[in-house]
Amino acid sequence: MVEVRVETVALDTAGSRQIASRTRATTALGDRSAELEAAIVQASSIAQQSLTQVPQRDGWRVAGMEVTFGLTLAAEAGVILSKASAEASFEVTLTVERDPGTS
């Protein structure tokens, strides 16, 4: 069986990530699976909850949503950081359709 490894980044004493060739390391993906699953479940839950709060307006409704997000694993166990800065962590695409019952 092939072992999948992922790159990790080190955190400095303030909890900030430091990305440099001397601080890069890898870890087995399977060793971090519980953390990854928790992050995916939480991000999915947030996206689904926000979609339920979008009201139908003037006969139009949100029919679908696609969410893309990135994760960075920190070298310290139990820490997951978002891949990008806060303003670019999530990419959301909404599909809006006219409700067939309206004209």
Side-chain angles (χ1 to χ4, degrees), residues 43-87:
S44 298
S45 177
I46 291 168
Q48 290 175 13
Q49 178 62 31
S50 63
L51 187 58
T52 65
Q53 296 178 43
V54 178
Q56 183 171 326
R57 180 172 289 158
D58 298 326
W60 293 89
R61 64 181 177 84
V62 176
M65 176 172 58
E66 179 180 319
V67 179
T68 304
F69 63 96
L71 300 173
T72 297
L73 299 176
E76 179 182 335
V79 179
I80 294 184
L81 305 171
S82 64
K83 183 177 178 182
S85 62
E87 65 272 7

Side-chain angles (χ1 to χ4, degrees), residues 8-62:
T8 59
V9 295
L11 298 178
D12 64 15
T13 56
S16 300
R17 62 185 187 171
Q18 298 295 309
I19 301 175
S21 59
R22 63 179 169 71
T23 60
R24 290 184 180 201
T26 65
T27 187
L29 181 61
D31 292 347
R32 305 297 290 270
S33 63
E35 294 168 75
L36 291 169
E37 289 172 5
I40 291 167
V41 167
Q42 185 176 16
S44 298
S45 177
I46 291 168
Q48 290 175 13
Q49 178 62 31
S50 63
L51 187 58
T52 65
Q53 296 178 43
V54 178
Q56 183 171 326
R57 180 172 289 158
D58 298 326
W60 293 89
R61 64 181 177 84
V62 176

Side-chain angles (χ1 to χ4, degrees), residues 56 59 61 98-103:
Q56 183 171 326
R61 64 181 177 84
R98 187 104 166 123
D99 189 344
T102 62
S103 48

